[in-house]
Amino acid sequence: MRTMHSLAWLVALGSISVTGGAMAAQWNLATPYGDASFHTQNTQQFAEDVAQATDGDLDINVHSGGSLIAHSEIKPSVRRGTVQAGEIFLSTLSNESPIYEVDTLPGLASSYADAYDLWQASKPIITQMFAKEGLMPLYAVPWPAQGIYTDFKLTDASQFKGLRVRAPNINTQRFIENLGGLPTETEEADIPTAFSTGRVDAMITSVSTGESMAAWDYVSNYTDAQLWLPKNIVFVNKRAFDRLDDKTQQAVLEAAKEAERRGWQASREDSAASAKALKEHGIEISKPNEQLAADLKAAGKSLFENWQERAGERAQKLIDRYRERQAAE
C-alpha cells in the first residue's frame, strides 16, 4: 500500500512542472499489465506520441505491472484525481453495471470484426457512464478471443464438474458455474502461483495470456472456443483533460485514435504469434467438438438471457445498435 504522503506527491507530480522556462503538464497513467504485454507497449507508444505531438508540453508517465496502483484501485484513483489516467480490463467493472459485461457474453462477438462492431455500439453508453464519474474514455483495445486451458483433452461440459477454473470477472464466473465448474478469481500476474499451488486447475483466457504466463508449465491443452474478445480501456480524469489547452487536448485525442487502430492490429498479430508459441512449447490446440460446442452454446445462451434481464432497456438498445451495424455490412 502506498502512503498518503506518496499519493500526495503523485498528485503534485501529475499537475504542472516548469521545464526550460515553459509550463509542462505531467500525467501518471497506471496499468496492471507488464511491459511485455502488447497492451502496455501500445499504451507506452500512446504516451510517446502525445509527448512528440505536444513538443513535451504533456508528459505521460506509464506505470506498468501494477507497480503504482492495484488493478481494482485504478479506476477509483483516476476518479479521485490521485492519478490522471489508467488502463483496466473493462469487464472488471461488472459489479457496477451489467453494461460493462457486454464484451464477455459467449457467442455475441467471436471475431475481431464483430468485436469492433460491439465496441462501436457500446461506446456511447460507456462514455456516458464514465462521464457521470468525471472520467473520459480515450481508447479501447481487445484481447485475442478467449479459449479454455486444461491439462486434459476437453470433450464435454461434464469435465468441468469440480474443476477450479480461473475467472477474471463476474461474467466468466457465471459462465463457469453454468458449465458446472468452480470459478476462482486470480489476477494475471498470479496465474503461475495459482496453478503451482493447486488453487487453479484450468483457466479461460486468451492465447496471449497463456503465452506470457508460460501455460505449458501447467497445462497441456487449449480449446480454441472463440468465446468472446474482452477489452482493455484507457481513460482519463476529465478535470485533468479539461485543464489542457485546446491544442494539447486535440493531440491527446489524435494519439488515442491512433492507439486504438494500432492496438486492434497488435491484438490480431499477437494472437497469431502467441498461438504459434503455444504449439512450439507442446500445447495441443483444438476446436471444440460437436458435443462441447453445444454445451458451451447452452451455457452462453443462459448467460445472455440472464444478462438481458439484469441490464434492462439500455442493454436492448445496445444490442439493437450492434445488430444494425452487422446488418449494414
Side-chain angles (χ1 to χ4, degrees):
M1 295 291 292
R2 298 269 171 175
T3 65
M4 290 302 296
H5 175 76
S6 63
L7 289 175
W9 176 82
L10 280 171
V11 173
L13 178 63
S15 54
I16 300 293
S17 64
V18 179
T19 305
M23 302 298 287
Q26 294 189 9
W27 283 1
N28 290 291
L29 190 159
T31 176
Y33 302 99
D35 291 333
S37 169
F38 73 88
H39 281 285
T40 303
Q41 292 168 8
N42 188 45
T43 300
Q44 290 171 335
Q45 184 61 57
F46 162 72
E48 293 174 13
D49 290 349
V50 169
Q52 183 175 358
T54 62
D55 293 324
D57 286 345
L58 176 57
D59 179 26
I60 302 176
N61 187 10
V62 178
H63 300 267
S64 60
S67 60
L68 184 63
I69 301 170
H71 196 166
S72 62
E73 288 300 312
I74 290 177
K75 181 170 173 278
S77 296
V78 178
R79 186 180 63 242
R80 291 190 299 265
T82 305
V83 294
Q84 291 70 40
E87 176 175 13
I88 60 173
F89 191 52
L90 184 59
S91 58
T92 59
L93 306 180
S94 297
N95 62 326
E96 298 180 16
S97 170
I99 294 297
Y100 293 127
E101 301 172 19
V102 70
D103 65 1
T104 58
L105 294 172
L108 182 61
S110 300
S111 69
Y112 279 101
D114 287 347
Y116 185 77
D117 283 341
L118 184 59
W119 168 232
Q120 294 305 307
S122 57
K123 185 176 181 180
I125 297 176
I126 290 174
T127 298
Q128 291 173 7
M129 293 168 66
F130 268 52
K132 290 180 180 179
E133 298 187 72
L135 303 171
M136 185 178 77
L138 292 176
Y139 62 91
V141 173
W143 290 90
Q146 306 292 284
I148 308 167
Y149 288 86
T150 55
D151 60 359
F152 54 84
K153 180 74 173 179
L154 192 58
T155 58
D156 63 82
S158 67
Q159 294 168 291
F160 278 91
K161 186 175 182 180
L163 200 67
R164 292 165 293 189
V165 187
R166 183 248 180 180
N169 53 64
I170 293 174
N171 228 27
T172 307
Q173 292 171 16
R174 295 189 183 106
F175 183 62
I176 292 168
E177 289 172 347
N178 286 351
L179 290 167
L182 303 173
T184 302
E185 189 172 353
T186 306
E187 285 286 351
E188 180 179 338
D190 295 331
I191 290 174
T193 300
F195 270 105
S196 63
T197 58
R199 187 155 46 92
V200 166
D201 303 312
M203 62 181 175
I204 294 180
T205 190
S206 66
V207 289
S208 178
T209 298
E211 192 275 334
S212 65
M213 293 293 105
W216 47 85
D217 289 338
Y218 313 101
V219 296
S220 57
N221 291 73
Y222 177 72
T223 303
D224 186 16
Q226 300 282 307
L227 295 171
W228 56 79
L229 285 80
K231 295 181 295 294
N232 282 6
I233 189 167
V234 175
F235 56 99
V236 64
N237 179 288
K238 189 60 164 56
R239 294 190 304 276
F241 182 81
D242 288 343
R243 283 194 289 266
L244 303 174
D245 59 45
D246 291 345
K247 182 179 179 181
T248 305
Q249 287 183 357
Q250 189 59 35
V252 171
L253 295 177
E254 288 295 329
K257 182 178 180 180
E258 175 60 18
E260 184 159 290
R261 184 207 62 77
R262 181 179 59 238
W264 283 71
Q265 181 58 32
S267 182
R268 289 183 176 91
E269 294 172 358
D270 190 84
S271 179
S274 295
K276 180 180 179 182
L278 291 177
K279 290 179 181 178
E280 290 175 346
H281 284 86
I283 295 284
E284 181 182 344
I285 299 179
S286 60
K287 294 290 184 181
N289 62 22
E290 186 174 342
Q291 180 60 56
L292 180 59
D295 291 340
L296 295 175
K297 184 177 180 180
K301 183 174 183 292
S302 174
L303 194 65
F304 181 72
E305 291 171 349
N306 174 268
W307 176 81
Q308 283 186 304
E309 292 176 2
R310 290 184 293 107
E313 185 179 349
R314 281 195 304 179
Q316 191 56 56
K317 289 181 178 179
L318 191 164
I319 297 301
D320 289 344
R321 189 182 300 119
Y322 169 56
R323 299 300 189 198
E324 289 170 3
R325 284 186 61 91
Q326 289 189 307
E329 294 178 354

